[in-house]
Amino acid sequence: MVSVIRNIRKRWFLAALFFTSLVYFIYKTSNSRRDLTRNETSFKLVQNVQRIEVFLRTLKWQPRVNVPNQTSNNPSQQCRNSLQGKQLIVDDNGYVCKRDYLLDNGCCDVTMHDTGRYACKTCQTSNCCSVYEHCVSCCLQPKHKNLLEKVVRGLKTNTMLIMMSSIHDQFDLCLMKCRTSSTSVRHENTYRDPSMKYCFGVGAPELRMF
Amino acid sequence: SREAKIWLTVYVLLLFCSVSVCTGLCMVCVLDYAHCSVDTLHLQHSSDIVQNEFIVQFDGYYSKTDRHLIIFAAASGANIINSSIGVLERTNLGNAYPSDFDVLQIATTSINKVANMNHARIKSITPQRRFVGSLKSFHKKADWKSYFKKFSGVHFHRSRVPLKAIGNNKQIAEAVQAKQMWEAGFKGQGVKVAIFDTGLPAKHPHFKNVIERSDWTDEETSDDGLGHGTFVAGMIGGSSSDCPGLAPESELYIFRVFTNNQVSYTSWFLDAFNYAILRKINVLNLSIGGPDFMDKPFVEKVWELTANHVIMVSAIGNDGPLYGTLNNPADQMDVIGVGGVDYSNNIARFSSRGMTTWELPAGYGRIKPDIVTYGLNVYASDLTGGCRALSGTSVASPVVTGAVALLLSSVKKNQRDLINPGSIKQCLLASADRLPSANIFEQGVGKLNLVEAYKVLSSYQPQASLVPSYLDFTECPYMWPYCSQPIYYTAMPIVANITVLNGMGVAGTIKGSPTWHPYTSHNGKYIDVSFSYSNSLWPWSGYFAVSISVKPEAEQWEGVAQGHVELTVVSPSEDNYEGREQSTVKLFIKVKIIATPPRAKRILWDQFHNLRYPAGYFPRDDLHTKNDPLDWNGDHIHTNFRGLYLHLRDAGYFIEVLGSPYTCFNARHYSTLLIVDPEEEYFPDEISKLHKDLTEEGLSVVVFADWYNSSVMTKVKFYDENTRRWWMPETGGSNIPALNNLLHPYGAALSDRVSEGSFVVSSHEVYFASGTSILQFPPNSMILSKPLKDQGKEILSGFSSEMKESVPILGLHKIPGGNGGKLVVYGDSNCIDDAHLTTDCYWLMDALLHFITQGILSPALESDKGLKKLKSQFKVAGEFPNRMEGNHLFKYSKVLEAHLGKPIPRPLPSCSSLEWELPFFINESSPQFMWKPQKL
């Protein structure tokens, strides 16, 4: 028994104890995986940036090639539209109209006087709007190409990478960008700005204090 | 040895460091604990036939000798000799009374002759079954974690969680007749099914058709670490031969939105939902839910999904058998909310049930769940490639999702545009099978019937429909609670909240004004109806509420009145420019009317002053329950006070609900106003009106209060990881400072001592769980005091003590004067609240109501040693509790509004007066079987 205690006091024993603890400590605290994957991650980042640039180059921008007549409907064309609205709908040429004035081909009836193209009616200079359809229509303005490129580059990479493969033109992009998302909320269960929650610009809606 | 000392110091330091690192890591587990801590108890039943025994059911109640005579007569008629049969002797107390059944024991040789036994008085002979019930409890996570939790201060309140699947094998595909669909060639092919859950392993042998897996959490993996997501995905698209899914050829899109610790955020869901819209998902399964239906970003996102033609199927929740436990998003009109049944078609105990509490206090909740299907011991894929059994509504939901996938794959290409979240919900609901013993707030329209749904869908024409499709208040138990209390003149109008489903288009409106057609030959003239409905039906749905009231002519009349409502829904046509589609539906109404009951039998329930989560933090009434910190069941007589309601109805009382301020009822109609667990403030006008009612109109008031203590309130604040902010209670269990304002004119007041303990009154055991006590009470009162612990002190100090003090908890007072009513105040509401009920005290409620109506105190209370009759004012030393500084009650209050400095009362709202519809009498009668669903 005494010899055991004596051994414990010996320098070599304490040194051994220390080193085992040290090894254990390093193993536990330092995230060695992070070091290993750092190179890999930075490589991935470069690759992802390239992918986003390719995506932006291949994206089809407004106006579409077959420019629709401004004053009469073209029965031969087909439109995609925003589908969801309670009262309004926006088609892929940027026209906003009442649900009642949606033609059989999915396009807005451009002959109705309250149908408007690239309408920013409820949008603010912050590029946030109170009506979803106005957000999409406004976002479709050809002049917003640069802004949208900036938006795409600034988005959370992961989300953008997943979504990219399903977005083919400015209409798809605007439909998506105008939706409320993780950037629209604070404290998770409230909107940052309940009245202007649909945004196509860079950054989140302004915080409203109550 | 000095050197050794240095080494030792270094070593100890290092050890300390590594321990603190470990604590940091352990916090993660702690969070996990908070989420998993919901212990679940469930009963498992199995039954088998007892070979030689049969139950003989008679057409009425007969004495023992008569029953034997009938049985032996029937047996001899079937050529069974007397010696080979016997009647089981029952040894219970009921033996002395007439009965309507007997158990027949018969020799094995004569069993086949039983079928021939006939007698005019025998209703049926059925094989005897033996029921075996076993209690399964689910283990709590180890206790050391809760120990850590205490110190962490980090906490998830009950938020959205993957609804627990609780873990006999039966192939679910077979049970719901999916195989018949497969044989017809419909296996879910071409249908995009999204599963929002805990992920799926990359290479799992059961899955051949996973199109993609995406991760929306912060863990950067799509793999399932829990098995919940794998199980759900397996039920829908698994192709194992042991436990096949319902739609094995459907295209699976896996969305991982929960971490391995079951953590999730609204913002993750928002981004993932957006992607589901982008991918044009057809049907989306959400075996998840939470109580926060006021999470606007989430709720509106779900609307957006259905508006984009994504059919949403969601689990109703596992918080049954308590009522008022519906989970969001399954409680939304545009979502198909699924409850669970066992393989014997009984509603599973855990299945959450109605009503929705969005509409309280002024309105009445909608019917939910929509539909039920198997959710107990369902067999499907486990993590490793085998099969396992699980239970829960999160298991029932994928049954419906799988069924929808099969239905969609059965639709021909040219009929595809008939498919939408509205029409599919209509088809499922119109084809479901009604279960005989459950009510509408437990089973919705009934049990899923896949083959019938297929038939309905194959001949579907776009139209509108109603859920429920009729109102027959004479039909029990299905139409509970409507069938549990007849209506009468001067009663508060009964409200039925109907959901309108519109399969014609995502947006629609109710055209013109709906019309009321009382039936001349069926006493339709005795009722008045009034409507309120959604301005626009979007997405695919809206509400249509009918208020029903009895006319003065029927004050002394008794009978059944009938009529119907007709309404037309219009939608902008989806495929015909400027055309509008429209659809007219009828709502049959049948109500039982009685003569107005005497005042002594009529009780008014104050709903207006109850506040609940969401959105504010209204803490639980029993401070001992840790896992559910919120008061979220609605505090309504048809939700968590259902037990009390049933008891009072049995005792012959009629209970009506007041959803507006006290200024809006006529005190002369009621004997008692019941104020239970109120959290709301009072308008000054309410206080004076009630005072007048009590002193001049003979109204009595019974208050069941609850705990309040601002130090304890500060103590039960917590940091909520879901909303990433601190949660501070807006009041205590109830709002005592507000109640003291109400009680002030009578010289009564309540304290902020939080008391707890058990005691006995006569033969009744009472558990007083976190309640308040009386601080002051007027002269000539009776006060009941009981020795109770100071729970507030315990919570604040962290040490439990056995010290008990005598605490006044019940006060009874007769207001002086000929027309003075009675004032009764009790300190705790838990013994009448189903939410935390251990031992009920309905007997106390009986005694209090007896005191009010008869003026006599029951012997149980009268003889109790703790009861004192006092001539002078009763006063306990102590201060009046104050409202907590800086609290935000005004944000959730209907009474207070924000104001510089202190919040002030709003102007008193005017009492709603319903406008009765003009009757268009017709000479018709409602169909004999109203419950036959509308032909779609």
Side-chain angles (χ1 to χ4, degrees):
Chain A
M1 193 62 197
V2 178
S3 68
V4 171
I5 292 167
R6 199 172 295 147
N7 270 340
I8 286 173
R9 282 192 181 162
K10 282 226 172 103
R11 192 184 292 179
W12 64 263
F13 179 81
L14 286 169
L17 202 63
F18 172 66
F19 278 112
T20 44
S21 312
L22 194 66
V23 167
Y24 178 75
F25 178 67
I26 290 166
Y27 172 72
K28 270 285 169 195
T29 51
S30 78
N31 197 336
S32 50
R33 246 179 58 213
R34 198 177 293 159
D35 291 331
L36 277 173
T37 52
R38 186 167 293 156
N39 286 331
E40 211 177 307
T41 317
S42 58
F43 171 70
K44 255 190 188 166
L45 273 179
V46 174
Q47 209 185 23
N48 289 343
V49 168
Q50 281 172 353
R51 279 177 62 196
I52 287 177
E53 290 309 315
V54 169
F55 162 73
L56 285 174
R57 273 203 298 280
T58 52
L59 203 68
K60 293 188 193 73
W61 297 94
Q62 285 283 322
R64 294 201 299 168
V65 191
N66 52 343
V67 192
N69 196 325
Q70 294 282 331
T71 49
S72 70
N73 297 314
N74 177 1
S76 67
Q77 73 165 347
Q78 286 290 322
C79 295
R80 287 167 295 144
N81 61 49
S82 60
L83 214 65
Q84 66 183 58
K86 195 186 277 190
Q87 277 121 22
L88 297 176
I89 223 134
V90 51
D91 69 16
D92 57 354
N93 291 312
Y95 286 100
V96 180
C97 62
K98 281 199 184 132
R99 237 178 200 291
D100 289 312
Y101 303 133
L102 197 64
L103 300 167
D104 292 353
N105 57 6
C107 305
C108 278
D109 183 350
V110 299
T111 61
M112 299 309 293
H113 77 278
D114 48 1
T115 299
R117 192 176 198 193
Y118 302 141
C120 302
K121 218 170 163 183
T122 61
C123 302
Q124 292 179 327
T125 46
S126 62
N127 297 323
C128 289
C129 319
S130 59
V131 174
Y132 175 72
E133 286 74 15
H134 291 149
C135 177
V136 178
S137 181
C138 193
C139 167
L140 282 170
Q141 287 189 0
K143 69 166 185 193
H144 283 141
K145 183 181 173 191
N146 288 340
L147 175 68
L148 287 172
E149 284 179 341
K150 217 167 121 192
V151 165
V152 168
R153 291 193 189 103
L155 275 180
K156 234 201 281 171
T157 334
N158 243 358
T159 316
M160 200 54 230
L161 287 175
I162 298 176
M163 304 248 182
M164 246 162 39
S165 56
S166 314
I167 295 176
H168 304 292
D169 62 6
Q170 194 176 349
F171 182 64
D172 287 336
L173 183 62
C174 288
L175 274 185
M176 180 47 70
K177 184 61 190 71
C178 280
R179 296 191 194 284
T180 57
S181 71
S182 53
T183 55
S184 318
V185 294
R186 81 168 153 165
H187 295 319
E188 298 293 326
N189 62 358
T190 42
Y191 289 116
R192 291 171 64 89
D193 183 347
S195 56
M196 291 283 159
K197 55 190 173 218
Y198 308 110
C199 305
F200 60 87
V202 187
E206 275 175 63
L207 260 184
R208 274 284 158 96
M209 297 313 290
F210 296 99
Chain B
S1 79
R2 228 182 90 191
E3 239 168 327
K5 256 185 201 165
I6 295 168
W7 281 117
L8 210 70
T9 322
V10 171
Y11 177 64
V12 167
L13 269 172
L14 280 173
L15 208 66
F16 182 76
C17 286
S18 59
V19 165
S20 54
V21 168
C22 172
T23 335
L25 293 173
C26 291
M27 298 282 271
V28 180
C29 330
V30 174
L31 307 184
D32 171 30
Y33 170 76
H35 248 280
C36 313
S37 61
V38 189
D39 311 6
T40 320
L41 261 180
H42 91 259
L43 280 160
Q44 190 189 350
H45 294 289
S46 65
S47 73
D48 53 324
I49 292 174
V50 181
Q51 268 303 316
N52 294 14
E53 293 183 2
F54 292 85
I55 293 177
V56 181
Q57 186 92 37
F58 301 98
D59 62 348
Y61 288 81
Y62 299 103
S63 71
K64 193 171 147 188
T65 44
D66 285 348
R67 293 197 311 264
H68 289 193
L69 282 174
I70 297 169
I71 289 177
F72 283 104
S76 63
N79 291 326
I80 303 172
I81 43 169
N82 279 358
S83 59
S84 62
I85 60 167
V87 177
L88 192 76
E89 193 65 31
R90 276 179 279 167
T91 51
N92 54 27
L93 286 172
N95 203 13
Y97 301 98
S99 169
D100 65 342
F101 79 97
D102 253 321
V103 177
L104 172 70
Q105 293 178 313
I106 193 156
T108 321
T109 48
S110 309
I111 283 179
N112 49 6
K113 292 186 193 159
V114 171
N116 302 330
M117 280 175 65
N118 276 320
H119 193 280
R121 288 186 170 163
I122 293 180
K123 218 160 75 179
S124 66
I125 302 178
T126 47
Q128 158 93 314
R129 284 175 165 272
R130 179 185 289 123
F131 279 84
V132 184
S134 60
L135 201 61
K136 269 195 178 172
S137 71
F138 297 92
H139 61 95
K140 250 181 167 177
K141 292 256 168 146
D143 269 334
W144 60 271
K145 285 180 177 171
S146 66
Y147 173 79
F148 272 111
K149 195 180 123 199
K150 266 189 201 162
F151 292 92
S152 69
V154 180
H155 197 113
F156 281 87
H157 79 274
R158 266 193 55 96
S159 92
R160 201 173 294 121
V161 292
L163 292 173
K164 195 170 188 172
I166 304 154
N168 332 324
N169 43 2
K170 180 146 182 171
Q171 284 198 359
I172 184 67
E174 206 157 334
V176 297
Q177 296 180 296
K179 290 197 168 164
Q180 270 165 264
M181 296 289 284
W182 299 350
E183 278 156 21
F186 312 129
K187 296 182 172 180
Q189 61 274 28
V191 180
K192 295 179 182 175
V193 184
I195 294 149
F196 275 60
D197 221 292
T198 59
L200 186 75
K203 284 177 184 140
H204 191 290
H206 293 180
F207 298 95
K208 309 270 184 284
N209 230 351
V210 178
I211 305 299
E212 64 178 31
R213 303 181 305 144
S214 55
D215 172 48
W216 302 89
T217 70
D218 54 6
E219 288 186 335
E220 294 184 12
T221 170
S222 297
D223 289 340
D224 182 8
L226 292 169
H228 192 276
T230 309
F231 190 90
V232 169
M235 288 188 65
I236 298 165
S239 53
S240 131
S241 55
D242 282 348
C243 52
L246 264 68
E249 289 181 16
S250 57
E251 298 171 1
L252 299 185
Y253 291 74
I254 308 296
F255 290 71
R256 186 167 181 273
V257 285
F258 280 95
T259 66
N260 287 334
N261 293 327
Q262 306 189 32
V263 175
S264 180
Y265 296 100
T266 294
S267 51
W268 294 353
F269 272 98
L270 296 182
D271 291 346
F273 278 146
N274 283 343
Y275 186 55
I277 298 175
L278 190 63
R279 293 310 311 252
K280 299 194 164 56
I281 295 297
N282 299 122
V283 50
L284 193 155
N285 184 76
L286 277 164
S287 287
I288 59 131
D292 190 1
F293 58 81
M294 284 169 104
D295 180 345
K296 270 211 151 179
F298 185 87
V299 170
E300 293 183 354
K301 186 55 77 181
V302 173
W303 288 342
E304 193 177 333
L305 277 153
T306 41
N308 280 285
H309 295 233
V310 181
I311 300 161
M312 303 287 282
V313 183
S314 183
I316 201 69
N318 292 344
D319 304 297
L322 186 63
Y323 278 64
T325 48
L326 301 173
N327 278 226
N328 180 268
D331 63 345
Q332 293 183 210
M333 285 190 268
D334 54 328
V335 176
I336 303 169
V338 188
V341 292
D342 63 17
Y343 282 115
S344 327
N345 292 335
N346 302 303
I347 299 291
R349 223 183 117 74
F350 55 72
S351 189
S352 289
R353 47 206 81 190
M355 61 186 164
T356 58
T357 53
W358 303 31
E359 295 80 1
L360 297 178
Y364 193 81
R366 281 169 289 114
I367 277 120
K368 280 279 173 176
D370 292 302
I371 198 166
V372 290
T373 189
Y374 304 115
L376 202 75
N377 293 325
V378 173
Y379 211 49
S381 310
D382 71 5
L383 265 179
T384 54
C387 296
R388 71 194 279 210
L390 283 179
S391 304
T393 50
S394 65
V395 169
S397 169
V399 176
V400 172
T401 307
V404 170
L406 288 178
L407 291 173
L408 296 195
S409 65
S410 78
V411 177
K412 293 185 197 81
K413 274 244 162 65
N414 57 357
Q415 303 279 306
R416 277 278 155 112
D417 51 351
L418 294 180
I419 300 289
N420 61 55
S423 63
I424 290 296
K425 187 168 176 179
Q426 287 178 319
C427 290
L428 289 174
L429 268 49
S431 58
D433 295 326
R434 169 86 55 89
L435 303 176
S437 53
N439 74 46
I440 192 165
F441 287 102
E442 295 166 340
Q443 66 165 318
V445 296
K447 196 180 93 172
L448 170 77
N449 185 334
L450 177 55
V451 173
E452 271 312 303
Y454 166 70
K455 287 181 193 160
V456 173
L457 181 61
S458 53
S459 62
Y460 177 81
Q461 292 298 320
Q463 60 190 283
S465 66
L466 305 174
V467 188
S469 55
Y470 68 96
L471 295 171
D472 181 354
F473 292 0
T474 64
E475 185 187 18
C476 259
Y478 186 65
M479 282 281 170
W480 191 92
Y482 295 113
C483 65
S484 64
Q485 182 171 298
I487 60 174
Y488 42 87
Y489 173 59
T490 68
M492 293 282 166
I494 294 292
V495 186
N497 193 344
I498 312 278
T499 300
V500 185
L501 295 177
N502 179 13
M504 298 181 290
V506 60
T509 47
I510 289 174
K511 183 185 164 191
S513 39
T515 49
W516 162 234
H517 302 277
Y519 296 157
T520 29
S521 51
H522 289 89
N523 311 308
K525 62 178 178 187
Y526 287 129
I527 47 177
D528 267 328
V529 301
S530 171
F531 311 133
S532 77
Y533 46 88
S534 316
N535 289 327
S536 69
L537 309 174
W538 182 91
W540 316 102
S541 55
Y543 71 88
F544 180 79
V546 187
S547 303
I548 304 172
S549 185
V550 177
K551 287 192 170 192
E553 296 92 285
E555 188 176 0
Q556 293 303 323
W557 186 78
E558 201 163 312
V560 173
Q562 296 184 34
H564 78 249
V565 176
E566 216 167 89
L567 65 139
T568 302
V569 174
V570 286
S571 272
S573 173
E574 300 259 308
D575 46 32
N576 180 14
Y577 177 54
E578 276 193 86
R580 293 185 145 242
E581 289 184 69
Q582 68 173 49
S583 160
T584 302
V585 282
K586 273 186 190 178
L587 177 76
F588 292 107
I589 294 176
K590 186 176 179 186
V591 292
K592 172 105 169 65
I593 298 172
I594 56 164
T596 306
R599 183 182 184 182
K601 288 286 172 201
R602 290 176 66 178
I603 297 172
L604 192 61
W605 174 268
D606 173 16
Q607 189 66 38
F608 185 77
H609 295 91
N610 285 331
L611 295 176
R612 48 96 176 94
Y613 174 84
Y617 174 15
F618 293 97
R620 60 201 180 272
D621 300 324
D622 179 353
L623 285 165
H624 267 308
T625 34
K626 290 252 164 65
N627 51 26
D628 199 353
L630 304 163
D631 204 356
W632 65 287
N633 305 123
D635 286 347
H636 192 277
I637 50 168
H638 298 151
T639 60
N640 52 320
F641 287 97
R642 182 177 181 262
L644 176 72
Y645 171 75
L646 293 177
H647 178 84
L648 291 177
R649 282 296 299 136
D650 278 347
Y653 293 100
F654 292 84
I655 305 104
E656 297 167 35
V657 176
L658 178 69
S660 44
Y662 294 158
T663 47
C664 301
F665 74 94
N666 183 348
R668 292 190 188 172
H669 293 155
Y670 307 97
S671 75
T672 308
L673 174 70
L674 259 182
I675 306 172
V676 178
D677 187 24
E679 289 91 358
E680 179 66 282
E681 295 280 335
Y682 300 90
F683 291 107
D685 287 353
E686 286 187 286
I687 296 173
S688 51
K689 196 265 187 180
L690 199 66
H691 185 244
K692 189 166 163 282
D693 287 346
L694 265 155
T695 48
E696 294 169 23
E697 306 287 354
L699 182 78
S700 296
V701 169
V702 173
V703 179
F704 274 69
D706 223 297
W707 69 271
Y708 183 94
N709 180 300
S710 48
S711 309
V712 174
M713 281 157 64
T714 316
K715 186 80 183 176
V716 297
K717 74 174 181 184
F718 61 87
Y719 184 76
D720 174 43
E721 272 297 323
N722 291 292
T723 51
R724 307 176 206 244
R725 65 182 177 97
W726 280 93
W727 277 48
M728 180 71 94
E730 312 304 346
T731 70
S734 73
N735 190 346
I736 296 299
L739 259 179
N740 282 348
N741 283 1
L742 187 73
L743 296 174
H744 177 73
Y746 318 97
L750 295 164
S751 81
D752 63 358
R753 186 192 198 269
V754 184
S755 306
E756 188 243 340
S758 298
F759 55 84
V760 175
V761 176
S762 178
S763 62
H764 303 288
E765 208 171 290
V766 181
Y767 176 55
F768 195 87
S770 318
T772 180
S773 58
I774 291 167
L775 198 61
Q776 288 185 9
F777 223 63
N780 297 314
S781 300
M782 289 176 280
I783 302 277
L784 180 73
S785 299
K786 287 286 169 184
L788 294 171
K789 289 199 290 185
D790 189 339
Q791 194 184 15
K793 213 182 250 173
E794 263 184 43
I795 288 173
L796 294 175
S797 68
F799 299 105
S800 66
S801 84
E802 287 308 308
M803 233 205 17
K804 287 181 178 178
E805 290 168 81
S806 179
V807 182
I809 48 167
L810 173 68
L812 305 113
H813 174 69
K814 158 90 178 70
I815 309 279
N819 265 333
K822 280 144 191 140
L823 176 69
V824 179
V825 179
Y826 183 66
D828 180 36
S829 70
N830 284 292
C831 64
I832 52 170
D833 182 346
D834 300 343
H836 309 299
L837 196 65
T838 44
T839 343
D840 75 65
C841 61
Y842 301 145
W843 65 270
L844 178 65
M845 185 63 95
D846 289 342
L848 300 180
L849 291 172
H850 193 73
F851 167 72
I852 284 167
T853 53
Q854 312 294 319
I856 309 161
L857 201 58
S858 79
L861 285 172
E862 182 88 60
S863 62
D864 195 272
K865 280 184 194 134
L867 190 83
K868 288 206 174 68
K869 292 177 184 174
L870 299 166
K871 284 259 177 291
S872 56
Q873 168 88 6
F874 176 81
K875 236 180 191 162
V876 179
E879 303 253 313
F880 275 51
N882 284 319
R883 288 181 179 78
M884 196 150 87
E885 280 297 313
N887 88 57
H888 296 116
L889 184 68
F890 65 89
K891 280 189 185 171
Y892 313 101
S893 171
K894 302 175 288 293
V895 177
L896 294 181
E897 66 184 353
H899 193 258
L900 275 177
K902 262 188 184 163
I904 52 160
R906 295 166 194 269
L908 184 74
S910 59
C911 300
S912 75
S913 62
L914 296 171
E915 269 185 45
W916 303 116
E917 292 297 323
L918 206 68
F920 296 93
F921 286 97
I922 48 172
N923 199 359
E924 246 182 58
S925 62
S926 42
Q928 205 173 2
F929 300 105
M930 283 204 259
W931 58 269
K932 279 264 172 66
Q934 170 187 350
K935 276 240 161 62
L936 293 177

